[in-house]
Amino acid sequence: MAKKWYVLHTYSGYENKVKTNLETRIETMGLENNVFSIQIPTEMVTEIKDGGRRVESEKKVFPGYVLVRMELDDRSWAAVRNTPGVTGFVGSDGKPAPLTRDEYNKIMKRSNHEAPKKTSTSLEVGQTVKVTSGPLAEFDGIVAEVSPDAGKVKVMVSIFGRETPVELSFDQVSRI
């Protein structure tokens, strides 16, 4: 039997509890030679809170899913499937479908902490904001574009009676 990565569907928010429950079950049922690794892919995200302060936090890449590397047989399938919080395996016709090496690498690359950090913000297109720093401080504008990967926002600011697009970082604006 080959060791392959499978995706478990769990109750959202229960991923860590499922991992703990699964580790305990594997030990008590003597399945250490069948289930080898349990991963919850995460990534670091920088959030801009009100007032422009940056907060780094770890977010789950796929909430509600856990990766398990295992040799699939009747015993290991039943042990994993019947773990509290697990709603099933990802696959078709009720059969667990293993991830390809490529799929696994893509998922874990996203989870790698050397990957570029994403920035999340509550800013939305059409929202009115106030510029808090830089040469346009104290000007109000309307968000025209949000670029989370770049940590930038394009704001239409009225300068001398004309709408002018200005690119600012998330920490240079605040919601009104």
Side-chain angles (χ1 to χ4, degrees):
M1 264 298 196
K3 303 172 192 169
K4 295 194 175 183
W5 284 99
Y6 294 90
V7 180
L8 295 180
H9 191 264
T10 68
Y11 294 123
S12 195
Y14 282 74
E15 301 86 359
N16 295 333
K17 195 159 190 58
V18 165
K19 181 178 181 182
T20 306
N21 288 342
L22 203 46
E23 288 166 343
T24 305
R25 276 179 83 88
I26 290 163
E27 201 174 311
T28 58
M29 295 176 83
L31 290 171
E32 294 91 344
N33 295 329
N34 297 78
V35 183
F36 306 97
S37 182
I38 304 160
Q39 299 280 335
I40 302 170
T42 59
E43 63 187 348
M44 291 306 288
V45 175
T46 304
E47 293 182 85
I48 307 297
K49 298 290 185 184
D50 286 335
R53 71 187 166 87
R54 293 172 172 266
V55 177
E56 281 208 355
S57 61
E58 196 173 40
K59 298 270 190 214
K60 290 174 181 65
V61 177
F62 301 110
Y65 295 93
V66 174
L67 303 180
V68 178
R69 186 168 188 223
M70 60 190 281
E71 283 181 6
L72 192 65
D73 61 20
D74 290 343
R75 254 183 85 217
S76 63
W77 178 86
V80 172
R81 176 66 189 90
N82 295 317
T83 300
V86 173
T87 57
F89 281 89
V90 172
S92 58
D93 301 327
K95 294 183 189 130
L99 290 174
T100 64
R101 173 58 64 196
D102 248 14
E103 290 170 328
Y104 174 77
N105 288 341
K106 280 182 188 164
I107 290 169
M108 295 317 285
K109 186 180 206 172
R110 226 180 128 180
S111 162
N112 184 348
H113 295 295
E114 275 82 61
K117 291 182 179 164
K118 286 202 171 148
T119 304
S120 80
T121 180
S122 57
L123 294 173
E124 295 174 9
V125 173
Q127 190 172 42
T128 304
V129 294
K130 179 180 280 302
V131 179
T132 57
S133 66
L136 299 174
E138 300 306 312
F139 275 84
D140 292 348
I142 296 174
V143 176
E145 195 178 302
V146 180
S147 305
D149 292 339
K152 302 277 184 189
V153 62
K154 190 179 283 182
V155 178
M156 299 303 285
V157 178
S158 182
I159 302 173
F160 305 123
R162 292 179 63 169
E163 291 288 306
T164 307
V166 181
E167 190 173 86
L168 302 164
S169 61
F170 289 156
D171 59 358
Q172 287 182 287
V173 295
S174 69
R175 296 186 320 176
I176 295 180

